[in-house]
Amino acid sequence: MNLIIKKASNFYSIMIFILPFFIRLIPEIIAWPYPIGFDTLIYADIILEGTYLQKNLIELFKSTSLFYIISTAINKILGDAILTVKILGPILFAILCYMLYLYSRIVLKWKVWKCFMVSLLAGTYFVSLRISWEMYRQMLGSIFLIAILIALRFQNMKIKLLTISILGLLIVWSHELTAILYFIIIAINIFTYKEIYSKVSISLTTIPAAILFIYQRYNPAIGSIGVPIEQVTSTSWIDLASFITGFLIYMFLPIFPLVFIGVITLRNIDIWSWIATCLIFTYWPLFLPEYSIICWFRWAILLVYPIIFLTIEGTDRLLNIGRKIIWKLNIGKIMVLLILILNLVFSGYYLISLPENQMEYFGKWNNYKQYIQTSMLQNSISISDTQNVIEALNWMKLNIDKENTILVLHEAMYNWARIVARDINSIRIKEIELSSQIRENIEKILIRLSEENMKNGKKVYTIWWINGKGWYEMLKLPSQFKEIQRFGNIGIFQYTP
C-alpha cells in the first residue's frame, strides 16, 4: 500500500511540472520561430549584448540582474537569444506552478488532488498565463518567495535560517516588487510569533536581503535612498477608483463565486498578507497619486497566486455542499464544473488565438489591453506581422545611408530593431505612463523627435502598420510620413513635412 501511495505521489509530482510546462509551450510552438511577450524582446537585446557576464560583483548586485545573468549564461550554450527566452518562459512557469503545489501540500497540508488543482489552475488561468507571457523576472522572484514561505515551516532551525537568508538575497536580486512583498510578509509572520527567539532569529535572517535592497536603492549622486515612484494621472478620483476596481473585477470575474467562498473559509497568514499588500499598493494612487509606488497594475496582477488558493479552497467547499439532483450530482458540483469549463475555454482562446481573432472578453470587452493583452500570440506586435517587421528592417539595412539616417520608432518596433538591425541609429519612443488613464500623445512625440533630427541633417524614417491597422492607440501615422516600402501590413515611412 505504501508503495502504491508513493508511486501515485511521484506521478502527481511529475505531472504537476509537465502539464504547466506543455501548456505554456503551446503558444511558443504556434509562434515559432518568433518570441511571445513584450519584455522578452528587451531580454533578448540584453542577452545579445552579453554585458552581464562581464560585470564585477559590485555592479551585478546593484540591480535586479539575476535573470539576466542566468539567461545570458544559458545563451552561451544555445547561441540563440530568442530561443533562450522561448525556453526559459515555459521552464520558469512550470517551476512556479510546482512551487505553488508544494506550498499547498506542505504549508496548507491539503490533499494531493487539491494541491494538483492549485497547480492546474495556476497553469491555465489567463492572468497567470499573462504573467508568464513576459514577466520572467517577476516569475523568478515569485519562485523564491514561495520557497521562502515553505522554508519558514522547516523544523530544523539551522537549515531554516540558512535557507531563508539565501532565498531572501535571491528574491531581492530577482525583482523589486517580490522583494517588497517578501519583507512585508516576513514582517507580519514575525509579528505573530510568540517566542522571542523565533522573532529575533527570523529577523536576523532578513538582514542580508535588507542590506542588498538598500544598496540597490541607494543613489550616490544624491547621497540617499531612492524610492521608485511615479505620478498617476486621471480625469477624476472617481474615474481612477472605477478604473482600478474594474481591472480587479475583470481579472477575477470568471472565478469570482469560488473566490468568494474561499475568502469565507480559508485562513492563512501568508495568503492574506500577500492579498493585503497587493491591494494597498494597487489602490495607493487614489490617495497619493503624485507619489504612487511604481506600477500599481503589476501589484494587482500579482494577486493571482493567493486568489488561486482561495479559488481551490472555494472549489473544495462547494463540492461538498448543495442539494442532490439528477445523475447523483449536486448543485455545488455542477457550479464547479461550469466554472472550470468556462476557465478552460478562456484559457484556450488566450493561448492559441491571434490578436486579430481574439475572444471578445480579451478584445471588445477588455478596457485594460495595456495590462492584459488580447492574446498570447504576440510580442510587441502580432505574430502574424512579425516576419514583415523583420523584412522591413532587413530592407533598411541594405537600402539606406546609415551615416545620415535615423530611425524614430515606437518601442514596439524599436525592440525589434535592437535585435535585427542593431547597426542602424534608432531612437525609442516609450509607451509613457502605463499606470495612468491619461496618456501622452504618441503622434506628437513622433513628430517632435522627427523634426529635431531632420533639422540636424538626418533623413528620418519610421516603421508602422499601413491602412489604419496600427496598434497602441495610433491607428495610422501622421500625414507628414510618406510610405516608401511595404511588407504585408507593415510599411516603411519617411518623414517629409
Side-chain angles (χ1 to χ4, degrees):
M1 178 62 70
N2 289 335
L3 181 61
I4 294 173
I5 294 173
K6 185 177 180 180
K7 286 184 177 180
S9 180
N10 290 338
F11 173 77
Y12 270 113
S13 296
I14 294 169
M15 292 302 295
I16 283 159
F17 181 86
I18 288 178
L19 272 179
F21 177 80
F22 279 109
I23 289 169
R24 179 56 181 77
L25 198 62
I26 290 171
E28 298 286 3
I29 293 172
I30 296 173
W32 187 269
Y34 310 118
I36 62 173
F38 196 105
D39 284 357
T40 51
L41 299 179
I42 299 173
Y43 299 153
D45 179 24
I46 292 171
I47 290 169
L48 287 171
E49 286 183 347
T51 56
Y52 275 92
L53 294 184
Q54 300 168 10
K55 295 182 178 182
N56 57 46
L57 283 177
I58 294 175
E59 293 174 321
L60 289 176
F61 281 116
K62 188 61 180 172
S63 63
T64 51
S65 59
L66 183 56
F67 174 77
Y68 301 137
I69 296 168
I70 294 171
S71 57
T72 304
I74 291 174
N75 187 60
K76 289 289 184 181
I77 301 171
L78 298 179
D80 187 326
I82 289 179
L83 179 61
T84 298
V85 295
K86 284 181 75 67
I87 290 175
L88 281 174
I91 290 174
L92 287 172
F93 187 57
I95 295 172
L96 178 54
C97 291
Y98 190 77
M99 293 307 299
L100 292 169
Y101 164 82
L102 288 179
Y103 181 86
S104 55
R105 190 84 176 115
I106 296 171
V107 178
L108 299 179
K109 300 187 183 305
W110 285 352
K111 295 178 181 178
V112 172
W113 77 265
K114 196 172 176 182
C115 302
F116 178 76
M117 289 298 294
V118 168
S119 176
L120 183 61
L121 184 59
T124 56
Y125 196 61
F126 74 90
V127 180
S128 179
L129 288 170
R130 185 268 176 267
I131 291 176
S132 77
W133 181 70
E134 66 164 355
M135 298 180 181
Y136 291 7
R137 295 191 307 118
Q138 185 170 301
M139 278 200 293
L140 183 62
S142 298
I143 289 168
F144 294 133
L145 176 56
I146 296 165
I148 213 169
L149 297 179
I150 296 172
L152 278 172
R153 278 74 183 187
F154 286 176
Q155 296 300 314
N156 187 305
M157 185 58 73
K158 290 182 180 179
I159 295 176
K160 177 181 183 177
L161 298 179
L162 179 62
T163 304
I164 293 173
S165 297
I166 295 171
L167 289 174
L169 283 169
L170 294 175
I171 291 170
V172 175
W173 202 10
S174 298
H175 196 262
E176 301 86 340
L177 267 62
T178 51
I180 295 171
L181 194 55
Y182 154 67
F183 287 123
I184 293 174
I185 294 176
I186 286 290
I188 293 173
N189 269 278
I190 291 171
F191 180 77
T192 62
Y193 291 154
K194 295 180 180 179
E195 298 179 0
I196 297 298
Y197 175 74
S198 295
K199 287 178 180 287
V200 173
S201 58
I202 299 300
S203 298
L204 290 175
T205 63
T206 65
I207 291 177
I211 292 172
L212 178 59
F213 187 77
I214 292 170
Y215 172 66
Q216 289 177 348
R217 305 275 73 81
Y218 179 76
N219 187 343
I222 60 176
S224 64
I225 297 173
V227 178
I229 59 174
E230 61 183 352
Q231 182 175 348
V232 176
T233 56
S234 65
T235 53
S236 70
W237 189 92
I238 293 176
D239 283 345
L240 183 57
S242 300
F243 186 72
I244 293 174
T245 303
F247 182 50
L248 291 172
I249 293 172
Y250 175 80
M251 287 194 295
F252 302 114
L253 183 61
I255 53 175
F256 178 76
L258 300 177
V259 175
F260 179 76
I261 296 171
V263 166
I264 297 172
T265 58
L266 183 59
R267 296 290 178 266
N268 175 272
I269 190 169
D270 300 332
I271 291 172
W272 284 105
S273 299
W274 191 312
I275 291 172
T277 302
C278 289
L279 286 176
I280 287 170
F281 288 129
T282 296
Y283 281 100
W284 189 290
L286 293 178
F287 307 101
L288 290 171
E290 294 183 358
Y291 301 98
S292 175
I293 301 298
I294 197 165
C295 296
W296 65 264
F297 59 91
R298 288 207 173 206
W299 288 104
I301 292 171
L302 257 176
L303 278 165
V304 68
Y305 303 127
I307 290 295
I308 283 170
F309 288 117
L310 294 179
T311 302
I312 299 305
E313 174 68 9
T315 299
D316 185 35
R317 297 290 177 174
L318 198 56
L319 286 172
N320 294 300
I321 63 173
R323 183 171 57 86
K324 287 190 176 181
I325 54 175
I326 55 175
W327 299 315
K328 297 183 179 181
L329 293 175
N330 59 41
I331 295 174
K333 290 180 180 179
I334 291 174
M335 285 186 65
V336 168
L337 183 63
L338 290 174
I339 291 170
L340 293 179
I341 289 174
L342 179 66
N343 173 58
L344 290 176
V345 171
F346 277 38
S347 301
Y349 267 98
Y350 199 61
L351 281 165
I352 66 174
S353 63
L354 287 166
E356 297 87 350
N357 304 310
Q358 76 273 12
M359 185 181 186
E360 287 194 341
Y361 192 84
F362 302 122
K364 183 179 178 181
W365 302 341
N366 182 2
N367 296 320
Y368 307 94
K369 294 182 182 68
Q370 66 269 43
Y371 310 138
I372 302 290
Q373 286 65 35
T374 56
S375 160
M376 290 192 74
L377 293 181
Q378 56 184 297
N379 36 74
S380 59
I381 56 178
S382 173
I383 292 302
S384 60
D385 290 325
T386 299
Q387 182 58 40
N388 295 326
V389 170
I390 293 172
E391 288 177 5
L393 288 165
N394 285 329
W395 184 90
M396 294 206 72
K397 286 165 64 176
L398 297 173
N399 293 278
I400 64 169
D401 177 9
K402 295 175 185 176
E403 292 295 325
N404 299 302
T405 297
I406 192 80
L407 275 175
V408 180
L409 300 171
H410 183 280
E411 63 177 332
M413 303 296 176
Y414 176 88
N415 292 341
W416 273 108
R418 288 291 301 164
I419 296 172
V420 178
R422 297 172 71 89
D423 55 341
I424 299 179
N425 292 323
S426 303
I427 295 176
R428 178 191 187 198
I429 300 176
K430 189 178 185 299
E431 271 283 282
I432 299 171
E433 299 293 344
L434 275 178
S435 296
S436 297
Q437 284 180 283
I438 300 174
R439 312 280 290 280
E440 192 168 348
N441 190 296
I442 298 173
E443 294 181 16
K444 290 181 179 179
I445 303 173
L446 180 60
I447 292 172
R448 175 174 54 80
L449 291 173
S450 299
E451 184 66 29
E452 289 174 359
N453 282 277
M454 191 170 186
K455 287 179 179 178
N456 291 330
K458 299 286 187 180
K459 287 185 178 181
V460 178
Y461 297 88
T462 194
I463 298 174
W464 202 245
W465 284 267
I466 62 169
N467 299 332
K469 296 181 179 181
W471 287 19
Y472 303 98
E473 300 181 10
M474 188 166 67
L475 296 180
K476 61 180 180 179
L477 290 171
S479 58
Q480 294 92 326
F481 289 89
K482 309 301 181 185
E483 183 183 330
I484 63 169
Q485 196 72 25
R486 179 181 296 193
F487 300 89
N489 291 326
I490 302 298
I492 299 173
F493 300 83
Q494 184 175 2
Y495 182 68
T496 57

